[in-house]
Amino acid sequence: MHFSTFNKNLESWQGNSLILGLVEGDIETQLEKIKFVIDPNLLLKKIIQKKFKGEKAKTLSFEFLDQRLENLSIIGLGKLEDIKKNDIINSLSDIIRKYVDKDEKISILLPWQLINSEEEINHIAGAARLSVYKDNRFNSKRNDEDILKEIEFLDLKKYEKINFKDTESICEGVELARRLVAAPPNSLTPLEMSIQASQIAREHGLEIKILDRKECEDLGMGAYLSVAKGSDLEPKFIHLTLRAKEPTKEKIAFVGKGLTFDSGGYNLKVGASQIEMMKYDMGGSAAVLGAAKALGALKPKGLEIHFIVAACENMINGSAVHPGDVVTASNGKTIEINNTDAEGRLTLADALTYASNLKPNTIIDLATLTGAIVVALGNDVAGFWSNNIDLAKDLKKASAEMGEELWQMPLQKSYKEGLKSHIADIKNTGPRAGGSITAALFLEEFFDNEINWAHIDIAGTCWTDKNKGINPSGATGFGVKTLIQLIRNKANNY
Ligand code: BES
Ligand code: MN
Ligand code: ZN
Protein backbone atom coordinates (compact mmCIF):
# COMPACT_ATOMS: atom_id res chain seq x y z
CA MET A 1 0.00 0.00 0.00
CA HIS A 2 1.30 3.46 -0.77
CA PHE A 3 0.11 7.06 -0.57
CA SER A 4 0.17 9.52 -3.43
CA THR A 5 -1.13 13.00 -4.15
CA PHE A 6 -2.65 14.72 -7.17
CA ASN A 7 -2.90 18.48 -7.03
CA LYS A 8 -3.73 19.45 -10.59
CA ASN A 9 -7.16 20.18 -11.95
CA LEU A 10 -9.29 17.02 -12.07
CA GLU A 11 -9.55 17.41 -15.83
CA SER A 12 -6.26 15.56 -16.23
CA TRP A 13 -6.87 13.11 -13.38
CA GLN A 14 -6.96 9.37 -14.08
CA GLY A 15 -8.92 7.07 -11.82
CA ASN A 16 -12.13 5.10 -11.40
CA SER A 17 -12.97 5.32 -7.73
CA LEU A 18 -13.44 8.38 -5.57
CA ILE A 19 -14.46 9.12 -2.00
CA LEU A 20 -15.80 12.63 -1.63
CA GLY A 21 -16.41 14.42 1.67
CA LEU A 22 -19.22 16.99 1.74
CA VAL A 23 -20.14 19.39 4.51
CA GLU A 24 -23.73 20.16 5.39
CA GLY A 25 -25.11 23.05 3.33
CA ASP A 26 -24.73 24.07 -0.30
CA ILE A 27 -24.07 20.71 -1.98
CA GLU A 28 -24.30 22.10 -5.49
CA THR A 29 -21.27 24.38 -5.12
CA GLN A 30 -19.25 21.61 -3.54
CA LEU A 31 -19.86 19.37 -6.55
CA GLU A 32 -18.19 21.95 -8.85
CA LYS A 33 -14.81 20.39 -8.09
CA ILE A 34 -15.66 17.06 -9.66
CA LYS A 35 -17.49 18.31 -12.73
CA PHE A 36 -14.80 16.90 -15.02
CA VAL A 37 -15.30 13.34 -13.91
CA ILE A 38 -19.05 13.21 -13.50
CA ASP A 39 -22.04 15.20 -14.69
CA PRO A 40 -22.81 17.37 -11.64
CA ASN A 41 -26.51 17.73 -12.50
CA LEU A 42 -27.00 14.00 -12.65
CA LEU A 43 -25.17 13.58 -9.37
CA LEU A 44 -27.05 16.39 -7.66
CA LYS A 45 -30.35 14.80 -8.73
CA LYS A 46 -29.31 11.47 -7.24
CA ILE A 47 -28.15 13.11 -4.03
CA ILE A 48 -31.44 14.97 -3.66
CA GLN A 49 -33.36 11.77 -4.36
CA LYS A 50 -31.58 10.14 -1.44
CA LYS A 51 -32.39 13.14 0.77
CA PHE A 52 -28.71 13.56 1.57
CA LYS A 53 -27.70 16.95 2.89
CA GLY A 54 -24.17 16.26 4.12
CA GLU A 55 -25.25 15.20 7.60
CA LYS A 56 -22.52 13.79 9.82
CA ALA A 57 -21.87 10.05 9.42
CA LYS A 58 -24.35 9.72 6.52
CA THR A 59 -22.89 8.03 3.47
CA LEU A 60 -23.90 7.29 -0.11
CA SER A 61 -22.32 4.99 -2.68
CA PHE A 62 -22.93 5.02 -6.44
CA GLU A 63 -21.76 3.03 -9.42
CA PHE A 64 -21.83 4.72 -12.81
CA LEU A 65 -21.49 2.88 -16.08
CA ASP A 66 -21.60 5.87 -18.40
CA GLN A 67 -19.34 8.38 -16.67
CA ARG A 68 -15.59 8.85 -16.42
CA LEU A 69 -15.91 7.98 -12.77
CA GLU A 70 -17.09 4.42 -12.07
CA ASN A 71 -17.42 4.36 -8.30
CA LEU A 72 -18.24 7.25 -6.04
CA SER A 73 -18.80 7.26 -2.30
CA ILE A 74 -19.89 10.38 -0.50
CA ILE A 75 -19.41 10.91 3.20
CA GLY A 76 -21.35 13.52 5.11
CA LEU A 77 -19.13 15.56 7.40
CA GLY A 78 -21.86 17.50 9.20
CA LYS A 79 -21.86 21.19 10.03
CA LEU A 80 -18.75 23.11 9.11
CA GLU A 81 -18.29 24.50 12.61
CA ASP A 82 -18.28 21.18 14.44
CA ILE A 83 -16.32 18.88 12.18
CA LYS A 84 -13.86 16.76 14.16
CA LYS A 85 -10.94 14.80 12.81
CA ASN A 86 -12.17 11.60 14.44
CA ASP A 87 -15.59 11.88 12.80
CA ILE A 88 -13.91 12.17 9.42
CA ILE A 89 -11.74 9.17 10.22
CA ASN A 90 -14.69 7.04 11.33
CA SER A 91 -16.78 7.72 8.24
CA LEU A 92 -13.84 7.39 5.91
CA SER A 93 -12.72 4.10 7.49
CA ASP A 94 -16.02 2.33 7.00
CA ILE A 95 -16.42 3.55 3.41
CA ILE A 96 -12.88 2.95 2.19
CA ARG A 97 -13.09 -0.68 3.32
CA LYS A 98 -15.62 -1.26 0.52
CA TYR A 99 -12.84 -0.60 -1.98
CA VAL A 100 -10.42 -3.27 -0.80
CA ASP A 101 -11.28 -5.65 -3.64
CA LYS A 102 -12.82 -3.17 -6.04
CA ASP A 103 -9.96 -1.27 -7.55
CA GLU A 104 -6.18 -0.85 -7.43
CA LYS A 105 -6.43 2.80 -6.46
CA ILE A 106 -8.88 4.80 -4.38
CA SER A 107 -8.79 8.57 -4.46
CA ILE A 108 -9.96 10.80 -1.63
CA LEU A 109 -11.17 14.35 -1.92
CA LEU A 110 -12.00 16.08 1.35
CA PRO A 111 -12.55 19.76 2.05
CA TRP A 112 -8.89 20.02 3.05
CA GLN A 113 -9.26 23.67 4.01
CA LEU A 114 -10.98 22.37 7.12
CA ILE A 115 -7.95 20.39 8.13
CA ASN A 116 -5.46 22.24 10.21
CA SER A 117 -2.10 20.63 9.75
CA GLU A 118 0.04 18.12 7.90
CA GLU A 119 -0.12 16.07 11.05
CA GLU A 120 -3.91 15.77 10.80
CA ILE A 121 -3.71 14.76 7.17
CA ASN A 122 -1.17 12.15 8.17
CA HIS A 123 -3.56 10.81 10.80
CA ILE A 124 -6.31 10.55 8.22
CA ALA A 125 -3.96 8.85 5.77
CA GLY A 126 -2.78 6.35 8.38
CA ALA A 127 -6.36 5.59 9.38
CA ALA A 128 -7.32 5.04 5.75
CA ARG A 129 -4.46 2.62 5.21
CA LEU A 130 -5.10 0.63 8.38
CA SER A 131 -8.81 0.43 7.53
CA VAL A 132 -8.12 -1.40 4.27
CA TYR A 133 -5.57 -3.80 5.71
CA LYS A 134 -6.22 -7.28 4.42
CA ASP A 135 -4.54 -10.52 5.40
CA ASN A 136 -4.81 -13.32 2.86
CA ARG A 137 -1.57 -15.15 3.67
CA PHE A 138 -3.37 -18.34 4.59
CA ASN A 139 -5.78 -18.41 1.67
CA SER A 140 -4.64 -20.71 -1.14
CA LYS A 141 -6.90 -18.97 -3.65
CA ARG A 142 -5.66 -15.49 -2.90
CA ASN A 143 -5.17 -13.15 -5.77
CA ASP A 144 -2.79 -10.34 -4.92
CA GLU A 145 -3.54 -8.62 -8.23
CA ASP A 146 -7.08 -7.58 -7.33
CA ILE A 147 -6.24 -5.75 -4.20
CA LEU A 148 -6.13 -2.05 -3.35
CA LYS A 149 -2.55 -0.78 -3.67
CA GLU A 150 -2.72 2.99 -3.64
CA ILE A 151 -4.50 5.69 -1.66
CA GLU A 152 -4.42 8.99 -3.52
CA PHE A 153 -5.29 12.39 -2.05
CA LEU A 154 -6.70 14.95 -4.46
CA ASP A 155 -6.40 18.69 -4.32
CA LEU A 156 -4.20 19.04 -1.22
CA LYS A 157 -3.21 22.57 -2.28
CA LYS A 158 -1.19 24.15 0.54
CA TYR A 159 -0.05 20.72 1.71
CA GLU A 160 1.26 19.92 -1.74
CA LYS A 161 4.66 18.74 -0.50
CA ILE A 162 3.30 16.65 2.34
CA ASN A 163 5.49 13.82 3.56
CA PHE A 164 3.85 10.49 4.50
CA LYS A 165 7.05 8.64 5.38
CA ASP A 166 6.58 8.48 9.16
CA THR A 167 2.96 7.44 8.75
CA GLU A 168 4.06 4.67 6.44
CA SER A 169 6.54 3.42 9.04
CA ILE A 170 3.90 3.54 11.77
CA CYS A 171 1.41 1.63 9.61
CA GLU A 172 4.04 -0.97 8.81
CA GLY A 173 4.58 -1.46 12.54
CA VAL A 174 0.85 -1.86 13.20
CA GLU A 175 0.50 -4.20 10.21
CA LEU A 176 3.39 -6.35 11.41
CA ALA A 177 1.71 -6.64 14.82
CA ARG A 178 -1.57 -7.61 13.12
CA ARG A 179 0.15 -10.27 11.02
CA LEU A 180 1.92 -11.74 14.05
CA VAL A 181 -1.28 -11.83 16.13
CA ALA A 182 -3.41 -13.34 13.36
CA ALA A 183 -0.88 -16.00 12.38
CA PRO A 184 -2.01 -19.42 13.61
CA PRO A 185 -0.05 -21.04 16.42
CA ASN A 186 1.42 -23.73 14.15
CA SER A 187 2.90 -20.96 12.03
CA LEU A 188 3.93 -18.32 14.56
CA THR A 189 5.95 -20.43 17.00
CA PRO A 190 8.45 -19.02 19.51
CA LEU A 191 11.20 -19.81 17.00
CA GLU A 192 9.36 -17.99 14.21
CA MET A 193 8.87 -15.01 16.51
CA SER A 194 12.64 -14.90 17.10
CA ILE A 195 13.23 -15.08 13.34
CA GLN A 196 10.86 -12.15 12.81
CA ALA A 197 12.72 -10.18 15.48
CA SER A 198 16.06 -10.93 13.79
CA GLN A 199 14.63 -9.61 10.56
CA ILE A 200 13.68 -6.31 12.23
CA ALA A 201 17.19 -6.10 13.66
CA ARG A 202 18.77 -6.67 10.24
CA GLU A 203 16.47 -4.28 8.46
CA HIS A 204 16.94 -1.33 10.81
CA GLY A 205 20.28 -1.93 12.53
CA LEU A 206 19.06 -2.94 15.99
CA GLU A 207 21.14 -5.16 18.25
CA ILE A 208 19.62 -8.56 18.93
CA LYS A 209 20.13 -11.25 21.52
CA ILE A 210 18.13 -14.47 21.53
CA LEU A 211 18.50 -16.63 24.61
CA ASP A 212 17.72 -20.34 24.35
CA ARG A 213 16.44 -22.53 27.17
CA LYS A 214 19.91 -23.24 28.57
CA GLU A 215 20.85 -19.56 28.70
CA CYS A 216 17.56 -18.74 30.44
CA GLU A 217 18.24 -21.53 32.94
CA ASP A 218 21.64 -20.00 33.64
CA LEU A 219 19.88 -16.71 34.45
CA GLY A 220 17.56 -18.57 36.83
CA MET A 221 14.37 -17.86 34.88
CA GLY A 222 12.38 -20.58 36.65
CA ALA A 223 9.02 -18.84 36.27
CA TYR A 224 9.22 -18.36 32.50
CA LEU A 225 10.69 -21.82 31.89
CA SER A 226 8.00 -23.51 34.00
CA VAL A 227 5.43 -22.31 31.46
CA ALA A 228 7.46 -23.61 28.51
CA LYS A 229 7.99 -27.06 30.06
CA GLY A 230 4.83 -28.67 28.69
CA SER A 231 5.50 -27.74 25.08
CA ASP A 232 7.51 -29.57 22.43
CA LEU A 233 8.61 -26.18 21.12
CA GLU A 234 11.72 -24.49 22.47
CA PRO A 235 11.23 -21.19 24.30
CA LYS A 236 12.99 -18.14 22.82
CA PHE A 237 13.84 -15.11 24.93
CA ILE A 238 14.14 -12.14 22.57
CA HIS A 239 15.95 -8.89 23.33
CA LEU A 240 16.28 -6.12 20.72
CA THR A 241 18.09 -2.84 21.41
CA LEU A 242 17.69 0.39 19.46
CA ARG A 243 20.40 2.95 20.23
CA ALA A 244 20.25 6.52 18.98
CA LYS A 245 23.41 8.11 17.57
CA GLU A 246 23.17 10.91 20.12
CA PRO A 247 24.17 10.44 23.77
CA THR A 248 21.44 8.63 25.71
CA LYS A 249 19.08 10.91 27.62
CA GLU A 250 16.71 8.18 28.71
CA LYS A 251 16.56 4.40 28.68
CA ILE A 252 13.22 2.69 28.11
CA ALA A 253 12.26 -0.97 28.06
CA PHE A 254 9.14 -2.37 26.39
CA VAL A 255 8.19 -5.86 27.50
CA GLY A 256 5.52 -7.94 25.73
CA LYS A 257 3.74 -11.13 26.76
CA GLY A 258 4.59 -13.68 24.09
CA LEU A 259 2.48 -16.80 24.48
CA THR A 260 2.23 -18.12 20.93
CA PHE A 261 -0.51 -20.39 22.28
CA ASP A 262 -2.17 -20.61 25.68
CA SER A 263 -4.04 -23.87 26.25
CA GLY A 264 -4.25 -23.07 29.96
CA GLY A 265 -1.93 -25.96 30.79
CA TYR A 266 -3.36 -28.51 33.29
CA ASN A 267 -5.89 -25.82 34.24
CA LEU A 268 -7.05 -26.40 30.70
CA LYS A 269 -9.23 -23.81 29.03
CA VAL A 270 -12.67 -25.40 28.77
CA GLY A 271 -16.21 -24.24 28.08
CA ALA A 272 -16.52 -20.69 26.87
CA SER A 273 -12.87 -19.81 27.45
CA GLN A 274 -12.18 -19.69 23.68
CA ILE A 275 -9.12 -21.88 23.65
CA GLU A 276 -9.17 -21.75 19.82
CA MET A 277 -8.47 -18.00 19.93
CA MET A 278 -5.42 -18.27 22.14
CA LYS A 279 -3.02 -17.71 19.24
CA TYR A 280 -3.54 -14.05 20.06
CA ASP A 281 -1.99 -14.46 23.49
CA MET A 282 1.17 -12.93 22.03
CA GLY A 283 -0.60 -9.62 21.33
CA GLY A 284 1.66 -7.80 23.79
CA SER A 285 4.83 -9.02 22.13
CA ALA A 286 3.37 -8.25 18.71
CA ALA A 287 2.86 -4.65 19.82
CA VAL A 288 6.43 -4.52 21.11
CA LEU A 289 7.89 -5.95 17.88
CA GLY A 290 5.63 -3.73 15.76
CA ALA A 291 6.91 -0.71 17.68
CA ALA A 292 10.50 -1.96 17.24
CA LYS A 293 10.03 -2.13 13.47
CA ALA A 294 8.50 1.33 13.26
CA LEU A 295 10.94 2.98 15.67
CA GLY A 296 13.83 1.31 13.87
CA ALA A 297 12.72 3.27 10.82
CA LEU A 298 11.85 6.50 12.67
CA LYS A 299 15.13 6.55 14.65
CA PRO A 300 14.04 8.75 17.58
CA LYS A 301 16.78 10.97 18.97
CA GLY A 302 18.52 10.60 22.31
CA LEU A 303 16.84 7.39 23.48
CA GLU A 304 17.97 3.85 24.14
CA ILE A 305 15.02 1.51 23.70
CA HIS A 306 14.88 -2.16 24.64
CA PHE A 307 12.28 -4.58 23.29
CA ILE A 308 11.90 -7.75 25.33
CA VAL A 309 9.81 -10.86 24.76
CA ALA A 310 9.88 -14.15 26.67
CA ALA A 311 8.23 -16.27 23.97
CA CYS A 312 6.86 -19.76 24.59
CA GLU A 313 3.74 -21.92 24.53
CA ASN A 314 1.55 -23.03 27.43
CA MET A 315 0.84 -26.69 26.67
CA ILE A 316 0.40 -30.04 28.36
CA ASN A 317 2.60 -33.14 28.40
CA GLY A 318 4.27 -35.37 30.98
CA SER A 319 6.79 -32.73 31.90
CA ALA A 320 4.36 -29.83 32.07
CA VAL A 321 4.17 -27.80 35.24
CA HIS A 322 1.69 -29.17 37.83
CA PRO A 323 -0.92 -26.98 39.44
CA GLY A 324 0.66 -26.57 42.87
CA ASP A 325 4.31 -26.53 41.77
CA VAL A 326 6.63 -24.00 43.38
CA VAL A 327 9.17 -22.33 41.09
CA THR A 328 11.85 -19.68 41.60
CA ALA A 329 12.00 -16.58 39.42
CA SER A 330 15.27 -14.94 38.37
CA ASN A 331 14.97 -12.30 41.12
CA GLY A 332 15.00 -15.12 43.70
CA LYS A 333 11.31 -14.96 44.63
CA THR A 334 9.45 -18.26 44.94
CA ILE A 335 6.03 -18.65 43.32
CA GLU A 336 3.33 -21.21 44.02
CA ILE A 337 1.59 -21.89 40.72
CA ASN A 338 -1.96 -22.42 41.98
CA ASN A 339 -3.31 -22.01 38.45
CA THR A 340 -1.34 -22.92 35.33
CA ASP A 341 -3.61 -20.70 33.22
CA ALA A 342 -2.21 -17.59 34.90
CA GLU A 343 0.94 -18.22 32.86
CA GLY A 344 1.48 -14.81 31.27
CA ARG A 345 2.52 -13.22 34.54
CA LEU A 346 5.03 -16.06 35.10
CA THR A 347 6.74 -15.33 31.79
CA LEU A 348 6.56 -11.59 32.51
CA ALA A 349 8.09 -12.07 35.98
CA ASP A 350 11.40 -13.11 34.42
CA ALA A 351 11.11 -10.72 31.48
CA LEU A 352 10.52 -7.79 33.87
CA THR A 353 13.45 -8.87 36.07
CA TYR A 354 15.64 -9.00 32.97
CA ALA A 355 14.42 -5.54 31.91
CA SER A 356 14.96 -4.20 35.44
CA ASN A 357 18.58 -5.41 35.38
CA LEU A 358 19.21 -3.20 32.34
CA LYS A 359 18.54 -0.27 34.71
CA PRO A 360 16.11 1.65 32.49
CA ASN A 361 14.29 4.80 33.61
CA THR A 362 11.00 3.37 32.41
CA ILE A 363 9.50 -0.08 31.80
CA ILE A 364 6.22 -0.56 29.99
CA ASP A 365 4.75 -4.01 29.59
CA LEU A 366 1.86 -5.01 27.37
CA ALA A 367 -0.01 -8.27 27.80
CA THR A 368 -3.19 -10.14 26.97
CA LEU A 369 -3.12 -10.90 30.65
CA THR A 370 -6.63 -11.38 32.03
CA GLY A 371 -10.19 -12.17 31.05
CA ALA A 372 -11.12 -9.88 33.95
CA ILE A 373 -10.07 -6.77 32.02
CA VAL A 374 -12.40 -7.80 29.18
CA VAL A 375 -15.25 -7.99 31.69
CA ALA A 376 -14.29 -4.63 33.19
CA LEU A 377 -13.62 -2.54 30.07
CA GLY A 378 -14.86 -4.50 27.06
CA ASN A 379 -13.16 -4.56 23.66
CA ASP A 380 -12.61 -0.88 22.91
CA VAL A 381 -10.61 0.19 25.96
CA ALA A 382 -7.44 -1.26 27.44
CA GLY A 383 -6.69 -1.03 31.15
CA PHE A 384 -3.40 0.27 32.43
CA TRP A 385 -1.64 0.54 35.76
CA SER A 386 1.31 2.70 36.67
CA ASN A 387 3.44 3.48 39.72
CA ASN A 388 4.25 6.95 38.38
CA ILE A 389 1.91 9.87 37.76
CA ASP A 390 3.99 11.45 34.99
CA LEU A 391 4.30 8.21 33.06
CA ALA A 392 0.54 7.68 33.38
CA LYS A 393 0.00 11.17 31.99
CA ASP A 394 2.42 10.62 29.12
CA LEU A 395 0.72 7.34 28.25
CA LYS A 396 -2.77 8.85 28.30
CA LYS A 397 -1.59 11.70 26.10
CA ALA A 398 0.17 9.43 23.59
CA SER A 399 -2.75 7.03 23.34
CA ALA A 400 -5.31 9.83 22.94
CA GLU A 401 -3.24 11.40 20.18
CA MET A 402 -3.18 8.11 18.31
CA GLY A 403 -6.80 7.08 18.89
CA GLU A 404 -6.10 4.11 21.16
CA GLU A 405 -8.19 4.18 24.31
CA LEU A 406 -6.66 3.56 27.72
CA TRP A 407 -8.25 3.69 31.15
CA GLN A 408 -6.20 3.82 34.33
CA MET A 409 -6.86 1.14 36.94
CA PRO A 410 -5.72 1.13 40.57
CA LEU A 411 -2.74 -0.66 42.08
CA GLN A 412 -4.94 -1.45 45.08
CA LYS A 413 -2.42 -2.50 47.75
CA SER A 414 -5.03 -4.20 49.96
CA TYR A 415 -5.58 -6.79 47.23
CA LYS A 416 -1.98 -8.06 47.68
CA GLU A 417 -3.48 -10.18 50.45
CA GLY A 418 -5.08 -12.30 47.72
CA LEU A 419 -1.66 -13.38 46.44
CA LYS A 420 -0.40 -14.73 49.79
CA SER A 421 0.83 -18.31 49.63
CA HIS A 422 1.17 -20.71 52.56
CA ILE A 423 4.23 -22.29 51.06
CA ALA A 424 5.98 -19.80 48.76
CA ASP A 425 6.70 -16.04 48.71
CA ILE A 426 3.68 -15.44 46.53
CA LYS A 427 1.13 -17.39 44.48
CA ASN A 428 0.42 -16.59 40.85
CA THR A 429 -3.38 -16.36 41.09
CA GLY A 430 -5.61 -14.36 43.39
CA PRO A 431 -9.40 -14.49 43.78
CA ARG A 432 -11.74 -13.95 40.82
CA ALA A 433 -12.82 -10.53 42.02
CA GLY A 434 -10.41 -7.83 40.85
CA GLY A 435 -8.50 -10.39 38.78
CA SER A 436 -6.81 -7.90 36.49
CA ILE A 437 -5.66 -5.85 39.50
CA THR A 438 -4.05 -8.76 41.35
CA ALA A 439 -2.33 -9.65 38.07
CA ALA A 440 -0.80 -6.15 37.98
CA LEU A 441 0.16 -6.40 41.67
CA PHE A 442 1.88 -9.71 40.94
CA LEU A 443 3.98 -8.09 38.20
CA GLU A 444 5.05 -5.32 40.57
CA GLU A 445 7.06 -7.91 42.55
CA PHE A 446 9.54 -8.45 39.74
CA PHE A 447 11.38 -5.22 39.05
CA ASP A 448 13.14 -2.50 40.99
CA ASN A 449 10.25 -0.31 42.14
CA GLU A 450 12.40 2.83 41.70
CA ILE A 451 11.83 2.36 37.98
CA ASN A 452 8.80 4.08 36.45
CA TRP A 453 6.54 1.31 35.25
CA ALA A 454 3.27 0.86 33.45
CA HIS A 455 1.39 -2.31 32.61
CA ILE A 456 -1.21 -2.37 29.83
CA ASP A 457 -3.70 -5.25 29.73
CA ILE A 458 -4.78 -5.61 26.11
CA ALA A 459 -6.75 -8.88 26.44
CA GLY A 460 -9.91 -7.10 25.25
CA THR A 461 -8.44 -4.84 22.58
CA CYS A 462 -5.95 -6.90 20.61
CA TRP A 463 -8.64 -8.64 18.55
CA THR A 464 -11.99 -7.53 17.13
CA ASP A 465 -14.91 -9.22 15.40
CA LYS A 466 -16.71 -5.96 14.66
CA ASN A 467 -15.10 -4.70 11.42
CA LYS A 468 -15.45 -1.11 12.59
CA GLY A 469 -13.43 2.08 12.34
CA ILE A 470 -9.79 1.55 11.44
CA ASN A 471 -9.94 -2.11 12.49
CA PRO A 472 -11.08 -4.73 9.99
CA SER A 473 -12.18 -7.92 11.79
CA GLY A 474 -9.20 -9.72 13.28
CA ALA A 475 -6.03 -8.52 14.90
CA THR A 476 -5.97 -4.80 15.71
CA GLY A 477 -2.27 -4.22 16.42
CA PHE A 478 -3.38 -2.38 19.55
CA GLY A 479 -0.58 -0.70 21.46
CA VAL A 480 1.89 -0.14 18.64
CA LYS A 481 0.82 3.44 17.99
CA THR A 482 0.75 4.41 21.66
CA LEU A 483 4.29 3.11 22.19
CA ILE A 484 5.56 4.92 19.11
CA GLN A 485 3.86 8.17 20.07
CA LEU A 486 5.16 8.00 23.64
CA ILE A 487 8.67 7.75 22.22
CA ARG A 488 8.12 10.50 19.64
CA ASN A 489 6.85 12.83 22.34
CA LYS A 490 9.90 12.09 24.49
CA ALA A 491 12.34 12.46 21.58
CA ASN A 492 10.75 15.81 20.68
CA ASN A 493 11.66 17.09 24.12
CA TYR A 494 15.38 16.47 23.53
N1 BES B 1 -4.36 -15.31 28.06
C1 BES B 1 -5.26 -15.37 29.14
C2 BES B 1 -6.10 -14.10 29.27
C3 BES B 1 -7.12 -13.85 28.22
C4 BES B 1 -8.42 -14.24 28.42
C5 BES B 1 -6.79 -13.15 27.08
C6 BES B 1 -9.36 -13.96 27.47
C7 BES B 1 -7.74 -12.88 26.13
C8 BES B 1 -9.04 -13.27 26.34
C9 BES B 1 -4.51 -15.55 30.44
O1 BES B 1 -3.35 -16.29 30.35
C10 BES B 1 -5.41 -16.28 31.35
O2 BES B 1 -5.73 -17.38 31.08
N2 BES B 1 -5.81 -15.62 32.44
C11 BES B 1 -6.68 -16.20 33.37
C12 BES B 1 -6.14 -15.88 34.72
C13 BES B 1 -6.84 -16.60 35.83
C14 BES B 1 -6.49 -18.05 35.79
C15 BES B 1 -6.41 -15.98 37.13
C16 BES B 1 -8.07 -15.60 33.18
O3 BES B 1 -8.16 -14.39 32.92
O4 BES B 1 -9.03 -16.35 33.22
MN1 MN C 1 -3.73 -18.38 30.49
ZN1 ZN D 1 -2.44 -16.30 28.53
Side-chain angles (χ1 to χ4, degrees):
M1 180 67 61
H2 71 275
F3 299 119
S4 62
T5 56
F6 182 89
N7 287 307
K8 284 183 266 178
N9 196 306
L10 286 202
E11 204 168 0
S12 58
W13 173 73
Q14 306 251 326
N16 311 313
S17 302
L18 175 66
I19 297 175
L20 175 67
L22 296 178
V23 296
E24 217 171 307
D26 181 0
I27 301 286
E28 197 174 345
T29 314
Q30 296 180 67
L31 295 183
E32 261 300 286
K33 275 193 245 171
I34 60 166
K35 66 180 176 205
F36 296 113
V37 294
I38 185 165
D39 173 359
N41 295 323
L42 168 87
L43 183 57
L44 186 64
K45 217 169 93 195
K46 287 193 180 243
I47 290 177
I48 292 169
Q49 258 171 21
K50 302 266 185 205
K51 299 191 166 59
F52 176 91
K53 300 189 186 68
E55 299 95 323
K56 186 159 100 184
K58 256 204 165 174
T59 60
L60 293 176
S61 287
F62 301 106
E63 277 184 41
F64 306 102
L65 297 172
D66 54 350
Q67 301 280 321
R68 250 182 80 190
L69 191 63
E70 282 172 29
N71 307 296
L72 172 68
S73 290
I74 296 182
I75 54 181
L77 301 174
K79 294 206 173 62
L80 192 62
E81 56 276 17
D82 37 52
I83 292 178
K84 297 206 174 56
K85 183 186 72 189
N86 282 343
D87 295 334
I88 301 180
I89 286 178
N90 286 336
S91 303
L92 183 61
S93 292
D94 288 335
I95 280 287
I96 197 172
R97 197 138 51 235
K98 298 195 175 150
Y99 289 89
V100 173
D101 305 303
K102 238 184 194 163
D103 209 339
E104 287 202 359
K105 180 177 89 170
I106 178 74
S107 304
I108 300 175
L109 178 54
L110 294 176
W112 300 112
Q113 73 275 12
L114 304 178
I115 290 163
N116 297 322
S117 60
E118 280 201 20
E119 197 187 337
E120 288 204 358
I121 296 176
N122 265 284
H123 274 145
I124 293 172
R129 169 163 167 176
L130 292 176
S131 305
V132 294
Y133 167 83
K134 183 161 177 168
D135 179 6
N136 54 15
R137 286 170 297 165
F138 299 95
N139 180 348
S140 70
K141 297 191 188 69
R142 70 170 179 270
N143 187 351
D144 295 330
E145 298 300 297
D146 300 339
I147 212 162
L148 188 63
K149 294 186 182 68
E150 179 177 351
I151 301 176
E152 178 186 58
F153 297 96
L154 304 181
D155 200 23
L156 276 179
K157 284 191 189 122
K158 68 172 163 167
Y159 300 118
E160 200 171 350
K161 295 218 167 64
I162 192 164
N163 183 350
F164 291 111
K165 223 170 127 248
D166 286 3
T167 297
E168 274 164 346
S169 300
I170 295 168
C171 289
E172 275 162 32
V174 175
E175 287 161 357
L176 171 66
R178 287 178 176 180
R179 283 197 301 277
L180 293 173
V181 169
N186 61 342
S187 163
L188 190 85
T189 59
L191 173 63
E192 180 58 27
M193 185 117 86
S194 69
I195 292 170
Q196 296 279 330
S198 310
Q199 208 164 319
I200 297 169
R202 252 200 323 278
E203 222 178 301
H204 297 293
L206 283 77
E207 293 163 30
I208 184 159
K209 232 197 261 175
I210 294 165
L211 310 182
D212 60 17
R213 190 193 301 268
K214 171 75 177 37
E215 291 165 297
C216 293
E217 259 163 26
D218 293 345
L219 291 172
M221 295 186 175
Y224 164 45
L225 292 177
S226 76
V227 178
K229 266 169 69 178
S231 168
D232 289 342
L233 304 181
E234 287 297 309
K236 298 287 169 191
F237 190 100
I238 301 163
H239 175 197
L240 287 161
T241 309
L242 177 64
R243 278 179 224 278
K245 287 198 305 279
E246 304 79 21
T248 304
K249 294 264 176 39
E250 193 175 338
K251 226 158 118 173
I252 299 157
F254 294 145
V255 178
K257 171 174 169 180
L259 266 289
T260 59
F261 187 70
D262 175 16
S263 71
Y266 275 97
N267 291 98
L268 188 64
K269 288 191 180 291
V270 292
S273 56
Q274 290 210 296
I275 189 171
E276 76 285 1
M277 292 309 298
M278 283 304 142
K279 65 177 184 182
Y280 73 56
D281 212 15
M282 32 57 69
S285 58
V288 166
L289 293 183
K293 183 177 169 73
L295 291 168
L298 296 172
K299 307 222 178 302
K301 292 197 167 71
L303 298 170
E304 180 180 312
I305 313 171
H306 297 269
F307 306 88
I308 295 160
V309 178
C312 67
E313 278 192 319
N314 187 19
M315 297 289 278
I316 296 175
N317 64 20
S319 14
V321 68
H322 314 85
D325 277 357
V326 173
V327 298
T328 307
S330 43
N331 70 345
K333 288 192 183 169
T334 59
I335 306 165
E336 178 189 1
I337 301 178
N338 56 327
N339 190 323
T340 61
D341 198 11
E343 84 301 334
R345 60 196 79 178
L346 294 169
T347 65
L348 288 172
D350 284 322
L352 287 167
T353 298
Y354 182 95
S356 181
N357 289 338
L358 300 169
K359 307 219 171 298
N361 308 81
T362 303
I363 300 177
I364 297 176
D365 77 74
L366 292 96
T368 47
L369 204 60
T370 67
I373 200 68
V374 191
V375 175
L377 300 178
N379 298 111
D380 293 346
V381 187
F384 86 96
W385 289 255
S386 181
N387 63 1
N388 181 274
I389 295 171
D390 291 327
L391 176 57
K393 251 192 221 150
D394 291 349
L395 259 181
K396 282 186 216 167
K397 179 169 182 280
S399 65
E401 285 167 346
M402 299 307 265
E404 295 188 314
E405 295 197 60
L406 291 187
W407 189 259
Q408 189 166 8
M409 304 281 288
L411 283 166
Q412 180 66 31
K413 296 292 177 271
S414 56
Y415 296 174
K416 281 221 165 158
E417 194 66 29
L419 292 172
K420 278 205 174 135
S421 164
H422 293 295
I423 178 168
D425 299 344
I426 190 170
K427 58 184 185 189
N428 74 332
T429 309
R432 245 172 76 88
S436 64
I437 300 175
T438 40
L441 292 169
F442 178 90
L443 299 180
E444 220 184 354
E445 298 293 320
F446 296 95
F447 53 88
D448 173 357
N449 289 164
E450 295 287 298
I451 299 172
N452 300 333
W453 162 74
H455 155 60
I456 310 178
D457 194 336
I458 59 169
T461 52
C462 87
W463 188 268
T464 181
D465 297 316
K466 287 190 218 151
N467 209 29
K468 245 190 96 195
I470 65 159
N471 294 314
S473 290
T476 59
F478 190 97
V480 174
K481 287 190 286 183
T482 296
L483 295 183
I484 296 170
Q485 187 67 1
L486 185 90
I487 293 297
R488 289 207 295 187
N489 289 344
K490 278 181 187 293
N492 279 343
N493 288 336
Y494 296 138

